[in-house]
Amino acid sequence: MEWDLTLIIIIIVFGFLAAFIDSVVGGGGLISTPALLAIGLPPATALGTNKLASSFGSLTSAVKFVRSGKVDLKIVGKLFPFIFIASVGGASLASFLPAAVLKPLVIVILSIVMIYTLIRKDWGSIRTYKKLSKGKAVIFVAVLLLIGFYDGFLGGGTGSFFLFALLIVGFDFLSAAGNAKVLNFASNIGALILFMILGKVDYGIGLIMAASMVAGSYAGAQFALKQGVGYVRVLFVVVTSALIIKNIYDYLQ
């Protein structure tokens, strides 16, 4: 691939925009992956390269949220290695099974998430989380592992799914966003390692986009912390809507 100024600008601009959104509610892949495809990367390499860049971005926003006190380190610290392993498993399966298999299910689940969020007007405005019973804790962990597996397998909407799962158990939108980014970093790293092993990462393009994503993630997390819960809720609805439309379009194609 020939390098020129236009290509570098595309990588930087779209990487920043993707990370700004992804730093709070996920969905940045809607912007960054098409940008990588547009500059000529093969689909598998575009996905692997996006994982490299987004891993830097999710780490940046995760650290920002941790420093702001919006992350429950005891909870996500225990979950981190399991999400990582689940993502590796999902990425491994992706090399054998077409991603289109999950598309209809993803559309249905995202639609349910969207409807539920719109109906529950005050949902996520305050934190009501309490220690879960053993039964609920098992279900909660199982759901998070499935999301981690899904991120390795397909990926679109992972941040939204993590956020929704945390909201269900009583986190407010802002703390849910912070915890979700740490878990999303775990799933990004797991999938990235497998893409690296398979040789599906363009390190030159990936590292340039990673630099812009670090800046975008920091700016996005900073903006979310200043604007508060209301901003995160609105962004969550907008991104989830975009994910539904994108998945329907891909499925019909």
Side-chain angles (χ1 to χ4, degrees):
M1 180 180 294
E2 293 185 6
W3 288 80
D4 58 37
L5 183 59
T6 302
L7 183 144
I8 294 173
I9 290 173
I10 290 173
I11 295 171
I12 292 173
V13 171
F14 285 95
F16 182 91
L17 290 173
F20 188 93
I21 294 172
D22 200 71
S23 65
V24 186
V25 295
L30 285 172
I31 298 172
S32 56
T33 302
L36 292 171
L37 290 169
I39 63 173
L41 290 184
T45 304
L47 290 172
T49 304
N50 182 63
K51 282 297 180 189
L52 172 63
S54 60
S55 292
F56 281 90
S58 58
L59 175 60
T60 301
S61 53
V63 169
K64 181 65 179 176
F65 278 114
V66 168
R67 288 180 175 175
S68 71
K70 296 298 181 181
V71 175
D72 294 71
L73 292 175
K74 288 184 179 180
I75 296 175
V76 296
K78 293 176 182 177
L79 291 169
F80 193 96
F82 297 104
I83 300 296
F84 173 89
I85 294 170
S87 178
V88 173
S92 300
L93 183 62
S95 60
F96 302 104
L97 192 65
V101 172
L102 279 184
K103 284 286 184 181
L105 181 60
V106 172
I107 294 169
V108 171
I109 295 174
L110 281 170
S111 298
I112 293 172
V113 167
M114 176 66 137
I115 293 169
Y116 190 86
T117 304
L118 290 174
I119 291 175
R120 295 285 301 275
K121 298 293 185 182
D122 297 326
W123 189 48
S125 58
I126 59 172
R127 183 184 173 109
T128 59
Y129 174 78
K130 296 179 181 178
K131 187 175 181 180
L132 302 176
S133 64
K134 287 186 178 180
K136 289 182 178 179
V138 169
I139 294 173
F140 177 59
V141 172
V143 168
L144 293 180
L145 289 177
L146 282 173
I147 296 171
F149 183 88
Y150 165 78
D151 191 28
F153 182 77
L154 189 57
T158 300
S160 298
F161 287 139
F162 274 133
L163 185 60
F164 187 77
L166 290 161
L167 288 168
I168 285 288
V169 297
F171 286 83
D172 63 82
F173 266 99
L174 202 53
S175 62
N179 286 282
K181 287 319 299 177
V182 177
L183 298 178
N184 205 174
F185 173 63
S187 62
N188 278 339
I189 288 292
L192 171 61
I193 288 174
L194 192 67
F195 278 118
M196 291 171 69
I197 292 172
L198 296 174
K200 300 297 183 181
V201 178
D202 187 309
Y203 293 97
I205 292 174
L207 290 174
I208 291 175
M209 181 171 272
S212 67
M213 280 194 164
V214 167
S217 294
Y218 184 88
Q222 180 75 12
F223 191 74
L225 289 167
K226 285 185 177 181
Q227 296 300 316
V229 170
Y231 162 76
V232 179
R233 179 189 174 90
V234 171
L235 188 60
F236 178 73
V237 170
V238 171
V239 171
T240 303
S241 300
L243 283 166
I244 292 170
I245 294 169
K246 175 67 164 57
N247 277 282
I248 291 174
Y249 176 80
D250 288 346
Y251 183 67
L252 293 176
Q253 291 297 309

